Each structure stands twice: as structure tokens, then as C-alpha cells.
Amino acid sequence: MLELRLRDVPGPVIGERLGEVEGHCTETGEPPSAAFGDPTDYAREIDAESSPERVSGVWTIAALGAGQVLAMLVGTAAVRNWVSGEPLTYNLVQLGCLAVVAAALLCLPRVLRPLMARPWVLGTALFALVAVVAAAGVGAAAASGTSSATVVPVSPAVIAIGLFVVVLALSWLEYRELTGDSADDLVTSPLAPEPRANRAAQRSGWIALVPALMIPTYYLAVGILSWVFG
């Protein structure tokens, strides 16, 4: 199911095919792998047979998430400068770190599928990438006050508040994307009663609040801590 979701196969199609698998295995007593082969290969076949229309937007969610993270990183840094009364500065190392973070987040939809197939190989590579970004971040922080840093010609207060508003707007768009047509995109059995499907649609709306509010909550928490202890 996860493989099909990553391929943006509509929920009703997933539910119908999983129902066929369950019915066949219940009737014959065969395990799913013996009857239908490797799950990833079977998901690829279903993807090829399904309609080209897609109801979800994995890449849209990735882009909105990347925008939130970048706004949060810059905004929370601006809060610290706002409290200390210093202007916000950036150097090439810091800008390079932001670019690497954005690229890594935008690549996540492409990496998730092979990561599930080869977790140790790609997991090690991703861990190395995180270590490089962390090391670059330490260097950026150390160089932030040097003469190579460029002063941002906007008040840190305006940047901190403005980017928090941007994060909220992107979070709303992410929530709309996650819940858009949710009632028509649920992975449910065609034999499931309608009231059950309606309850599942309501739960999916509440569940979508968790990823949508994660970055704004972290932004607000870091901002408050910086203001209190800055």
C-alpha cells in the first residue's frame, strides 16, 4: 500500500486490488508473496494498469514542506538577532547550507521508494549527507560574524514575524493538499459500509493536522525559547 501511495495511485484502486489479494489468499490459503509475487513488482503492475489521473500530490507536499523548513530556519535565526538587537547576516556557507537542505527535502519523494528496498545502503548515504549538512552548519555559525557576512537590509523583527506568517500559509496549503478529495481517495474495501467510509474521511482530516502543524509549532516554540533565554 505504501508503494502504491508513493506512486500516487488513487485510494479506491488500492483498496480494490488489496481486496482482491485478500479474497484470493483467504479462498486458496496461499500467502500473498506466493500468489502475487514481490509486493513492489506487483505495485508496479497495478500502477501501470491504473488510470493516469492522480489525486494526490507527493511532489507538491515535498515542495511545501521544503518551503516551510527554509522559512523556519531563517525566521528562527531572525528571532535570535531580534532579541539581541543585532542585524541578521548571511554568508556563502550559510546560503549553501540552506540550498543543500532544500535540495535534500525536494529529493525525498524520489528517495523514499529505493530507501524501502535498500534501507542499509541508502540509509548510510542519507546519514552521511546529514553529517555533512551539520558540519557545514557549524562552520556557517562560526563564520556568521565575520566580514564575509552580508547584512540583510530588513529588520529581524519583520523577517521573524513575516516568515512565521509564510509558514502558516504554507501549512494551510499543505493541509488542503493532504485533505483534498480525501473522501474520494480513501483506501477502503468496496464492501465497506458507507458510514464507515465517512468516519474514515473525518479521521483523515484530523490526522492531516499533525504534519501540517509540525513546522509552525516548532517555529513558535524555538521563537519563544529564543525570546525568553536570548
Side-chain angles (χ1 to χ4, degrees):
M1 185 171 66
L2 182 58
E3 178 72 21
L4 289 171
R5 274 304 191 189
L6 288 174
R7 294 176 178 271
D8 283 348
V9 175
V13 175
I14 300 176
E16 181 181 355
R17 300 307 289 266
L18 291 180
E20 293 175 0
V21 171
E22 182 179 3
H24 175 85
C25 295
T26 301
E27 182 178 345
T28 63
E30 291 183 284
S33 57
F36 297 91
D38 180 75
T40 301
D41 294 336
Y42 186 60
R44 189 179 297 112
E45 295 176 10
I46 296 176
D47 182 28
E49 296 171 2
S50 63
S51 169
E53 296 181 1
R54 294 297 186 246
V55 292
S56 60
V58 175
W59 292 103
T60 302
I61 297 298
L64 292 172
Q68 289 182 72
V69 171
L70 291 179
M72 177 196 67
L73 292 175
V74 177
T76 52
V79 171
R80 291 190 292 270
N81 290 74
W82 180 11
V83 174
S84 63
E86 301 175 354
L88 183 64
T89 61
Y90 271 94
N91 54 49
L92 292 179
V93 177
Q94 291 171 304
L95 295 177
C97 288
L98 293 177
V100 171
V101 170
L105 292 174
L106 291 174
C107 288
L108 281 179
R110 183 69 66 183
V111 173
L112 282 177
R113 190 179 300 119
L115 180 61
M116 290 188 298
R118 295 179 293 275
W120 287 108
V121 176
L122 288 181
T124 303
L126 288 176
F127 180 79
L129 176 61
V130 171
V132 170
V133 173
V138 172
S144 60
T146 64
S147 59
S148 61
T150 302
V151 176
V152 179
V154 182
S155 169
V158 175
I159 296 175
I161 298 174
L163 288 181
F164 183 67
V165 174
V166 170
V167 167
L168 290 177
L170 293 177
S171 298
W172 171 247
L173 293 176
E174 181 179 351
Y175 178 77
R176 291 288 301 272
E177 183 68 26
L178 289 171
T179 58
D181 299 326
S182 60
D184 299 326
D185 191 35
L186 294 174
V187 181
T188 56
S189 168
L191 301 178
E194 189 66 22
R196 180 182 175 185
N198 290 336
R199 288 196 300 269
Q202 294 173 358
R203 286 197 304 269
S204 67
W206 287 104
I207 293 173
L209 283 173
V210 176
L213 294 178
M214 187 179 302
I215 299 300
T217 302
Y218 183 81
Y219 192 125
L220 191 60
V222 172
I224 293 175
L225 290 175
S226 298
W227 186 270
V228 172
F229 299 103

